[in-house]
Amino acid sequence: MTDSFTITLPAEVKLALEEVSRQGGKAPSDIIEQAVKQHLFLRQFQSLRERLTAKLEGVITDQDVFDQVS
């Protein structure tokens, strides 16, 4: 299912988006969708890394890792 909403961009960002759209042959909405997906993925990755780091403090060697996952 596809939903839509309106965003406001500074003029220079809008112009850059339009240029990238023309050069790449992709619709601006496709570029924005890809950017949002990448941002969400990075946020999820950072969150997982922070939780893992908190759980594995003191893990230094391969044996420490093995001990944690066994």
Side-chain angles (χ1 to χ4, degrees), residues 18-67:
E18 290 169 344
E19 180 64 24
V20 168
S21 174
R22 274 192 297 276
Q23 289 176 352
K26 287 187 174 183
S29 61
D30 292 337
I31 295 167
I32 292 169
E33 179 183 357
Q34 181 182 5
V36 169
K37 285 180 178 180
Q38 288 175 348
H39 178 79
L40 295 173
F41 175 82
L42 288 173
R43 292 281 307 252
Q44 182 181 23
F45 178 79
Q46 290 168 343
S47 176
L48 289 171
R49 183 175 54 193
E50 288 169 5
R51 287 190 295 172
L52 181 62
T53 300
K55 280 187 172 184
L56 298 179
E57 282 187 6
V59 174
I60 299 170
T61 67
D62 288 345
Q63 185 60 45
D64 293 335
V65 173
F66 179 76
D67 292 343

